[in-house]
Amino acid sequence: MLWQLPQYIVITAGEVMFSVTGLEFSFTQAPASMKSVLQACWLLSVAIGNMLVVVIAELKLFESQSAEFCLFAILMVVDMAVFVLLCRTYTYVDYSSGNEDEVEHNPSKKTATLEGHSNKAFSDDQ
């Protein structure tokens, strides 16, 4: 059992860094009315990823475990490529001023805006 300790330490450190970063990003970039929804979406995406691992492991698509790990590595590279594409078009919104309603209604208060896109879930005229 003691030989597994380094693997558990590395996996735990990776999970802590990944989860904290993702949750912090989704929390700081969401308007007040959407914070809990984005937190739930984050946890749902983690659950879907865990289910994907379980399904692939149970299907026993590969004879060797190293081939299975290579599949997971390839899936992570594809996932990273998708994130890079999303990051290139993402515009950071600064809600640190404390008044999120003012930022949503006054585009000049944003650090940058996407053309034609609004951060508001529902407009006032609906």
Side-chain angles (χ1 to χ4, degrees), residues 26-126:
S26 64
F27 189 79
T28 60
Q29 291 300 290
S33 63
M34 296 293 291
K35 288 189 187 296
S36 60
V37 173
L38 283 179
Q39 298 286 320
C41 288
W42 173 261
L43 295 174
L44 180 64
S45 68
V46 170
I48 290 170
N50 289 338
M51 288 302 299
L52 183 64
V53 169
V54 168
V55 167
I56 290 173
E58 289 298 318
L59 288 177
K60 299 188 187 324
L61 300 173
F62 304 102
E63 290 183 22
S64 69
Q65 196 171 23
S66 63
E68 187 176 311
F69 288 156
C70 284
L71 173 66
F72 292 137
I74 291 168
L75 289 174
M76 285 306 299
V77 168
V78 169
D79 181 53
M80 184 179 67
V82 170
F83 276 129
V84 166
L85 292 173
L86 291 173
C87 288
R88 291 178 58 88
T89 61
Y90 184 76
T91 303
Y92 184 82
V93 179
D94 186 13
Y95 287 116
S96 63
S97 66
N99 191 352
E100 293 178 12
D101 291 332
E102 183 180 333
V103 171
E104 287 179 6
H105 293 295
N106 187 356
S108 65
K109 293 288 184 180
K110 296 180 184 178
T111 57
T113 61
L114 288 174
E115 291 184 42
H117 292 82
S118 171
N119 286 337
K120 197 167 181 188
F122 299 100
S123 64
D124 294 331
D125 56 355
Q126 287 184 342

